[in-house]
Amino acid sequence: MASEKILLFSAVILLLHHAPSVIAGDIVHDDDSTPKKPGCENQFVLVKVQTWVNGVEDAEFVGVGARFGRAIVSKEKNAKHTRLVLSDPRDCCIPPKNKIVGDVIMVDRGNCRFTKKAKTAQNANASAILIINNQKELYKMVCEPDETDLNIHIPAVMLPRDAGTRLEKMLTSTSSVSVQLYSPLRPAVDIAEVFLWMMAVLTILCASYWSAWTAREAAIEHDKLLKDASDEIPNTKYANVTGVVNMNVKAAVLFVVFASCFLFMLYKLMSAWFIEVLVVLFCIGGIEGLQTCLVALLFRWFKHAGESYIKVPFLGAISYLTLAVSPFCITFAVLWAIYRDESFAWIGQDILGVALIITVLQIVRVPNLKVGTVLLGCAFIYDIFWVFVSKKFFKESVMIVVARGDRSGEDGIPMLLKFPRIFDPWGGYSIIGFGDILLPGMLVAFSLRYDWLANKSLRSGYFLWAMFAYGFGLLITYVALNLMDGHGQPALLYIVPFTLGTLMTLGKKRGDLMVLWTSREPERPCPHIRLQENGE
């Protein structure tokens, strides 16, 4: 059991990744770091490049529009089918030798400025220019500071190298290739954000009730021990629940410090192989979490199997029920790891993630409001620093880069809940980091344990208000996400003030603040002392 606690407690540190964000299309947003001037003030937008080969619809590619040139139409019906031709010479730094009559010209990057290529194509009577990058990534095409004569009236789009290779193959092997260029607008709100909000709230709700139920069972058992063994009164006011780690102030601070170190290590070592390591660690934690949740759910119907143990080499005593569900959990995690690049893999990732979060919230607990305030306060600073302040030092948001997996060639780290953006023409996923559920979830779970042990009703207690505050704070996060045009937001920036502020304000108003701040549980009369008084 001790090894399991250490494993899960370590897993929490691995999971502190925040910033709900939209994976697909982050390049579309306005970027103030690049120069703007008359004729060079477009926002960067993703552009769909739909191809037609000999009149038959074929592959679709995604590029990014330049800061300069005519704006791309947003509706597909307004986008014309235009013949695609390959520039000769390929770089289009000098007037092309081939005849162009309102065609879209495809050119290679390099040897001259982007604006030079666009002007040359425009003067050759091209209707648009596709510039093929020399790398797999997209690149934002901007104007140089010394450029003043910008009179470009055709759209300019950058495509990645692999798209250029396929387009060139089409042009050399078929008689006619045409393209459509358009940039559909994203919906203001997608249903993915609603489902993510519900997943986060329901996860904390389930974990809180499980945590409160085990705490109440431990309190009842403790009272029975006091009545049955009056000569052996425990020195502690409250017997710890087996398998539970109660965090203290020092651990709360170190918790966030270690998380920062781990995040920075991720940022520096981010690569395809490191993502594979994280996938393995996530699978191990997911197996443990799923197994713990399934055993707890099935224990009611298979109590005998849950209370009967067998000794397994290297693992020690394991219940027959745990032994029965383990193969399913391992198979589930392995199948997810194998098929994690498929379109349906987000379902398995969310199941493993939710199970792990619930298990951690059951095992790692905040004993009072003081520890919860220190933990969330440090996490609040951590979130703001790595999302916003880190841009000053690293020229990019470390948190967003890690969450998206920009340098890994993969879809990002697996320590996220994700949901597909169903109504978004660009697809992709909305995501939320485990830390945005785990950390405030610890405080919410504490509020319910307090309410149950103090015999408070739902209305007179603190849990309902803490739950409402968390849900409202997360809702405000998604509102800010949309108002900021999809830029990743540190969720704890909004969740922490609502959650902590609600509990502190309500506790002070009711006169319970000092008890909430310092005590593990409300003061309860000791049954043993009552028995002794009656005996006298």
Side-chain angles (χ1 to χ4, degrees), residues 457-479:
S457 66
L458 192 62
R459 180 178 296 181
S460 64
Y462 293 91
F463 172 71
L464 181 64
W465 295 99
M467 199 73 234
F468 175 79
Y470 173 78
F472 189 72
L474 187 58
L475 178 64
I476 294 298
T477 303
Y478 283 114
V479 171

Side-chain angles (χ1 to χ4, degrees), residues 83-333:
R83 189 168 72 104
L84 179 68
V85 297
L86 194 61
S87 176
D88 180 22
R90 295 289 297 270
D91 58 17
C92 199
C93 292
I94 60 175
K97 300 175 184 177
N98 46 331
K99 186 177 181 181
I100 300 171
V101 185
D103 303 319
V104 175
I105 188 170
M106 188 173 81
V107 309
D108 290 340
R109 178 183 178 183
N111 299 331
C112 61
R113 294 176 174 179
F114 295 126
T115 50
K116 170 74 172 176
K117 296 176 187 289
K119 285 182 180 179
T120 303
Q122 178 176 279
N123 294 335
N125 203 29
S127 60
I129 181 171
L130 299 181
I131 301 177
I132 307 303
N133 196 11
N134 51 18
Q135 301 177 22
K136 294 172 65 175
E137 295 79 16
L138 292 172
Y139 185 84
K140 294 180 180 180
M141 296 187 290
V142 300
C143 309
E144 298 298 330
D146 60 347
E147 291 183 298
T148 55
D149 184 21
L150 294 171
N151 190 27
I152 301 172
H153 303 296
I154 63 172
V157 178
M158 168 75 75
L159 285 175
R161 182 177 60 195
D162 55 348
T165 302
R166 291 187 60 185
L167 285 171
E168 183 178 354
K169 186 176 181 181
M170 289 180 186
L171 288 168
T172 54
S173 61
T174 59
S175 57
S176 174
V177 178
S178 60
V179 294
Q180 258 185 317
L181 308 180
Y182 63 102
S183 179
L185 301 176
R186 307 194 98 133
V189 179
D190 192 88
I191 196 172
E193 292 157 3
V194 177
F195 278 101
L196 271 183
W197 183 90
M198 291 175 61
M199 273 198 289
V201 171
L202 290 176
T203 297
I204 291 181
L205 188 69
C206 293
S208 297
Y209 271 96
W210 187 10
S211 176
W213 181 81
T214 54
R216 185 167 66 178
E217 290 293 305
I220 293 172
E221 186 65 25
H222 181 61
D223 289 347
K224 287 181 180 178
L225 289 173
L226 288 176
K227 292 178 182 178
D228 297 340
S230 58
D231 56 335
E232 297 179 3
I233 303 174
N235 291 327
T236 58
K237 183 184 73 171
Y238 179 72
N240 284 331
V241 182
T242 304
V244 170
V245 175
N246 279 309
M247 191 179 294
N248 55 33
V249 171
K250 182 179 179 181
V253 175
L254 291 176
F255 200 72
V256 178
V257 171
F258 289 154
S260 292
C261 295
F262 187 78
L263 180 67
F264 186 72
M265 183 177 69
L266 276 176
Y267 176 70
K268 288 298 184 182
L269 299 180
M270 183 64 69
S271 59
W273 70 266
F274 200 72
I275 290 292
E276 298 295 330
V277 173
L278 292 180
V279 167
V280 172
L281 292 174
F282 175 71
C283 286
I284 294 172
I287 291 169
E288 182 70 28
L290 188 59
Q291 174 184 284
T292 303
C293 291
L294 287 177
V295 168
L297 287 172
L298 297 173
F299 184 81
R300 180 178 178 182
W301 294 280
F302 303 95
K303 189 173 182 179
H304 179 72
E307 293 178 342
S308 302
Y309 291 83
I310 183 174
K311 194 170 184 180
V312 179
F314 306 108
L315 299 176
I318 297 178
S319 71
Y320 284 98
L321 184 57
T322 301
L323 209 58
V325 301
S326 293
F328 168 78
C329 299
I330 294 171
T331 303
F332 187 91

Side-chain angles (χ1 to χ4, degrees), residues 260-522:
S260 292
C261 295
F262 187 78
L263 180 67
F264 186 72
M265 183 177 69
L266 276 176
Y267 176 70
K268 288 298 184 182
L269 299 180
M270 183 64 69
S271 59
W273 70 266
F274 200 72
I275 290 292
E276 298 295 330
V277 173
L278 292 180
V279 167
V280 172
L281 292 174
F282 175 71
C283 286
I284 294 172
I287 291 169
E288 182 70 28
L290 188 59
Q291 174 184 284
T292 303
C293 291
L294 287 177
V295 168
L297 287 172
L298 297 173
F299 184 81
R300 180 178 178 182
W301 294 280
F302 303 95
K303 189 173 182 179
H304 179 72
E307 293 178 342
S308 302
Y309 291 83
I310 183 174
K311 194 170 184 180
V312 179
F314 306 108
L315 299 176
I318 297 178
S319 71
Y320 284 98
L321 184 57
T322 301
L323 209 58
V325 301
S326 293
F328 168 78
C329 299
I330 294 171
T331 303
F332 187 91
V334 170
L335 287 175
W336 170 81
I338 294 173
Y339 296 103
R340 70 182 186 277
D341 294 328
E342 301 295 330
S343 59
F344 55 81
W346 64 271
I347 301 173
Q349 180 170 328
D350 286 353
I351 291 173
L352 291 172
V354 167
L356 181 54
I357 291 171
I358 290 175
T359 301
V360 172
L361 286 176
Q362 159 64 15
I363 291 176
V364 183
R365 296 183 179 178
V366 168
N368 52 49
L369 187 57
K370 177 182 178 181
V371 175
T373 301
V374 172
L375 177 65
L376 289 183
C378 291
F380 178 82
I381 298 171
Y382 161 90
D383 228 8
I384 293 175
F385 179 83
W386 290 113
V387 174
F388 293 134
V389 182
S390 61
K391 292 180 182 179
K392 304 289 185 183
F393 300 97
F394 306 101
K395 308 301 181 184
E396 57 188 353
S397 172
V398 172
M399 185 78 78
I400 301 298
V401 169
V402 171
R404 290 193 314 227
D406 287 358
R407 300 177 178 179
S408 65
E410 304 282 339
D411 282 338
I413 62 174
M415 287 80 171
L416 302 162
L417 297 187
K418 57 197 296 189
F419 199 92
R421 295 179 62 83
I422 299 172
F423 299 115
D424 192 329
W426 294 104
Y429 296 88
S430 289
I431 62 175
I432 182 172
F434 284 6
D436 299 325
I437 305 173
L438 268 173
L439 298 181
M442 290 182 185
L443 189 64
V444 175
F446 159 73
S447 69
L448 185 59
R449 290 196 303 272
Y450 178 89
D451 287 351
W452 280 22
L453 294 171
N455 296 318
K456 290 182 177 292
S457 66
L458 192 62
R459 180 178 296 181
S460 64
Y462 293 91
F463 172 71
L464 181 64
W465 295 99
M467 199 73 234
F468 175 79
Y470 173 78
F472 189 72
L474 187 58
L475 178 64
I476 294 298
T477 303
Y478 283 114
V479 171
L481 184 69
N482 286 287
L483 290 177
M484 298 295 181
D485 200 19
H487 285 291
Q489 294 295 301
L492 295 185
L493 174 65
Y494 309 96
I495 294 173
V496 170
F498 279 106
T499 309
L500 268 181
T502 298
L503 284 180
M504 287 185 171
T505 303
L506 201 58
K508 185 175 182 180
K509 183 178 179 181
R510 293 175 175 178
D512 296 333
L513 185 58
M514 288 308 298
V515 178
L516 287 167
W517 186 259
T518 58
S519 301
R520 291 190 179 184
E521 60 166 300

